[in-house]
Structure formats: C-alpha cells, structure tokens
Amino acid sequence: MIFRGFVPFAQKGSNMTLSQGGSVATKSGSYGWTNAVAAADESLTAGVHCWEVEITKTQHGNINVGVCKADVRPEGGTNRLYFQQGKAWGMHAGTGALHPGHLHGAGPVPEGSRLGCKLDLGAGTLTFYLNGVKHGPGWTGIVGPVKRCVEIWKQGDSVTLVRTEPAFRD
C-alpha cells in the first residue's frame, strides 16, 4: 500500500466548517445533505492511495466517506452527493452500506472508530476498513480523476482525518 502523506480537506460547502488545518470537517449548517460536502483539493488519477478518518462525532451515523469525481464543487450547492450515480462512491457510517444505492450493508461504523479507505485506481477499486479490518465488499469500476471527500447530514457531527499511515489488513 502507498501512503502519500496527509492531504487535508480544502474545499467545503457552506454548511461545513473545516478546522485544525483542514483535518476536521464538521457539519455547521442546517440538517440535510445540501452543501454538506468537504473534499481534498488533490485530484487522484492513478496509483494506490490510502487514508483513514475517525468518526469523531455522530448522532445517527449519517456520514458518508469515500471519493467523488474531481469536478465536483462542494461549495456549489451539491445536494445529496452520495445519492448521485457516477458522482461519488462511499460508505455510510450508520449502516456500512455503499452509496449511492444503499448496497451491501456491512454494519455500522460507530463514533470513535476509524474508517479506512484504500483506493486502487489501476484496479478501479475502493476498499473500506473498520479499525484496520476489511469492512464490506467495497466498490469496483472507479475511474479517476477523483478526490477524497465526506458528506455529513446532522449539525455538529464531524470526522477527523488521521495523520498517520493506515494499518489495514486484507
């Protein structure tokens, strides 16, 4: 696996707040998915990329973690990004289901847990890990360019990007 260092969130919708140098994304606006995306500036086009987020605070698990197409602009009013086919690929923390589509619920990712992502653009896959152990089937068919992103529904809920190299076990 390749860990390319810490890449913070840099783009956000109007209902998100970034803090601690872009490592923490918190839903600050009203409830709902509108303008609730935080994304990294870095476009990923090839190779293997690994990162983890800690589910810092969640009241109902309505947090999606994964990747979105590089041309998505979180500040542009995107509504329900993880429900739009071909725009994003992620996992819902409340159920472990893949979104869009609410597929293959692998079980919840509780508050305080780490949700890891391994994106292999050569194979077109996005694999998820709960506290270092593979969690669910993941996605296939992903083509870059994409960027890392999260989407949060509930005001006050947050995720924190982990600054250390992930420890995944396939």
Side-chain angles (χ1 to χ4, degrees):
M1 279 185 279
I2 299 169
F3 177 66
R4 300 197 192 282
F6 177 74
V7 178
F9 295 121
Q11 302 173 356
K12 65 176 190 66
S14 60
N15 286 323
M16 291 286 274
T17 300
L18 302 179
S19 59
Q20 297 184 25
S23 64
V24 177
T26 304
K27 177 68 184 272
S28 55
S30 60
Y31 300 128
W33 299 110
T34 303
N35 289 317
V37 175
D41 268 340
E42 177 187 39
S43 289
L44 308 173
T45 58
V48 178
H49 306 270
C50 301
W51 67 97
E52 286 182 302
V53 298
E54 179 181 336
I55 306 300
T56 314
K57 182 178 180 195
T58 182
Q59 298 171 54
H60 300 290
N62 285 321
I63 296 172
N64 292 302
V65 176
V67 297
C68 61
K69 293 303 278 182
D71 62 354
V72 168
R73 297 287 170 242
E75 69 281 1
T78 301
N79 187 17
R80 301 181 74 155
L81 176 64
Y82 279 98
F83 294 90
Q84 296 181 32
Q85 297 287 336
K87 287 286 189 184
W89 301 265
M91 180 174 276
H92 183 269
T95 62
L98 301 177
H99 279 279
H102 199 77
L103 307 170
H104 313 292
V109 179
E111 184 174 291
S113 297
R114 288 186 177 189
L115 183 58
C117 300
K118 177 182 175 186
L119 175 67
D120 183 338
L121 287 165
T125 59
L126 178 60
T127 307
F128 296 96
Y129 299 82
L130 175 57
N131 297 321
V133 178
K134 190 173 177 186
H135 192 62
W139 283 104
T140 60
I142 297 174
V143 177
V146 295
K147 56 189 172 187
R148 304 165 225 229
C149 68
V150 298
E151 186 171 34
I152 304 173
W153 184 81
K154 186 94 170 160
Q155 186 178 30
D157 285 3
S158 65
V159 300
T160 302
L161 284 165
V162 177
R163 292 179 176 264
T164 57
E165 184 172 355
F168 301 152
R169 296 182 304 278
D170 287 322

